[in-house]
Amino acid sequence: MTMPYRVSSQHVTYVFGPQIRPVLEVPPQAVIVCETLDAASGRIRTQEDALTLSYPPEQGNPATGPIAVRGAQPGQTLAVRIVAIALGPCGCGRVKRGGIIFDELHPPAAVLTPVQDHTVAFKGLTFPARPMLGVIGTAPAGEAVPTFYPGPHGGNLDINAVRPGATVYLPVSVPGALLALGDVHASMGDGELNGGGLDIAAEVTIEVDVRPGLPCRRPLIETDDAWSVCANGPTLPEALRMATREMTTLLATRLDLSREEAFILIGAAGDARIGQAAQLPGLDATAYLQISKTILPSVFDGTAAPGRQR
Ligand code: CA
């Protein structure tokens, strides 16, 4: 077996942008192990650090990379399969900057959570880890975007479907795509309602490939049984509206339906899910809309589900 490529956590970026020099170039179908720092860039080592450390949002959420994928050209799609996420030894959850009931609490507060054998220890409780990737994106063609923000390029999606086994499809806007990723959580509830989940360092193994362009202006996630369209907006309803609009286009295009028929199909079978709705100052909410593969088997051709009747 070919040895995977490796990118150390010394190679991080705090922005997605066309001017950021890639730290690695790989061919399509390469497997890459990315060491990722936690969302606080490894600066939290003690309970005291967790209680006192603060930094501007644009100095958090480091993303390992960027990685250039040879041959990826604007208009194509970058497929990133999350092969595995190996967690570091300790996660951290905090009440520090915000969260949906922040104004009702007495911050700061923090819990350091040792993680061993895929199990999280939380103040005497234990529960299974649910590793997921908060930040994954490609470079936009225009102005650089801090890794703190979500957008059409991906970025700080905080969507629980981005977990081992999933494939994330991102737009290629500049040659090589310039992929970067990070912000792993040992576990994050849907909505990430305290604004952080359990932040943790990790090693993320990915496989990258280049695909044709998609009829969708937002990142897509493929899991075993579903497709999800990612979206963001100043409020959760606005994020859901964007996800619905994009899924309507995708279904109409791929299943040969009118937009009205596609919207009715979403009403019948689309599952709206919350990514991040912590209401942190200046940060969009994220949402995603899932549709089963029994309805939409593939986004790359017009193949209809078996048994579909017109
Ligand atoms: Ca995040």
Side-chain angles (χ1 to χ4, degrees):
M1 180 186 156
T2 313
M3 287 290 286
Y5 294 84
R6 177 172 278 271
V7 185
S8 91
S9 58
Q10 293 177 339
H11 296 295
V12 297
T13 180
Y14 290 85
V15 293
F16 291 98
Q19 78 283 24
I20 310 298
R21 284 178 63 85
V23 299
L24 176 71
E25 184 181 84
V26 300
Q29 302 184 348
V31 174
I32 311 153
V33 178
C34 302
E35 298 176 4
T36 59
L37 296 173
D38 62 55
S41 308
R43 288 172 285 189
I44 295 176
R45 295 187 179 85
T46 64
Q47 180 80 10
E48 182 64 18
D49 294 339
L51 291 172
T52 58
L53 180 70
S54 61
Y55 49 85
E58 286 80 4
Q59 292 176 20
N61 281 17
T64 300
I67 298 164
V69 180
R70 212 170 290 148
Q73 291 299 326
Q76 294 181 312
T77 299
L78 188 70
V80 186
R81 188 166 71 89
I82 315 298
V83 177
I85 300 178
L87 298 173
C90 187
C92 178
R94 304 204 290 166
V95 182
K96 182 72 180 166
R97 289 185 292 133
I100 200 160
I101 59 165
F102 187 72
D103 58 337
E104 302 173 18
L105 303 175
H106 302 286
V111 178
L112 298 184
T113 58
V115 177
Q116 194 170 21
D117 299 331
H118 208 72
T119 299
V120 176
F122 187 108
K123 303 283 288 182
L125 304 166
T126 58
F127 56 88
R130 289 194 302 182
M132 58 78 72
L133 198 51
V135 170
I136 183 167
T138 52
E143 199 173 332
V145 181
T147 50
F148 180 63
Y149 299 108
H153 66 293
N156 192 12
L157 295 172
D158 286 326
I159 282 176
N160 252 326
V162 185
R163 59 180 187 254
T167 299
V168 184
Y169 296 90
L170 297 162
V172 180
S173 303
V174 301
L178 301 184
L179 169 74
L181 53 87
D183 188 30
V184 167
H185 300 98
S187 186
M188 186 198 89
D190 285 347
E192 200 188 27
L193 296 173
N194 78 323
L198 296 179
D199 298 320
I200 194 164
E203 279 192 1
V204 182
T205 304
I206 57 171
E207 182 175 5
V208 293
D209 207 354
V210 181
R211 301 288 181 84
L214 288 166
C216 182
R217 295 171 297 180
R218 310 295 306 183
L220 270 172
I221 304 167
E222 180 181 9
T223 46
D224 282 353
D225 56 358
W227 294 96
S228 299
V229 172
C230 305
N232 59 283
T235 64
L236 184 58
E238 287 176 75
L240 287 170
R241 183 181 175 90
M242 178 186 287
T244 305
R245 183 187 303 121
E246 293 300 321
M247 184 63 93
T248 298
T249 302
L250 187 66
L251 292 177
T253 305
R254 287 297 177 225
L255 301 181
D256 191 25
L257 302 171
S258 70
R259 287 181 62 77
E260 290 73 20
E261 290 166 338
F263 184 45
I264 292 168
L265 182 58
I266 288 170
D271 291 321
R273 307 234 186 253
I274 305 172
Q276 179 277 116
Q279 298 182 10
L280 294 183
L283 182 61
D284 273 7
T286 62
Y288 56 118
L289 187 51
Q290 281 190 332
I291 199 91
S292 167
K293 284 182 175 173
T294 59
I295 292 168
L296 183 67
S298 171
V299 297
F300 288 102
D301 57 40
T303 310
R308 176 183 169 214
Q309 296 178 345
R310 292 276 301 182

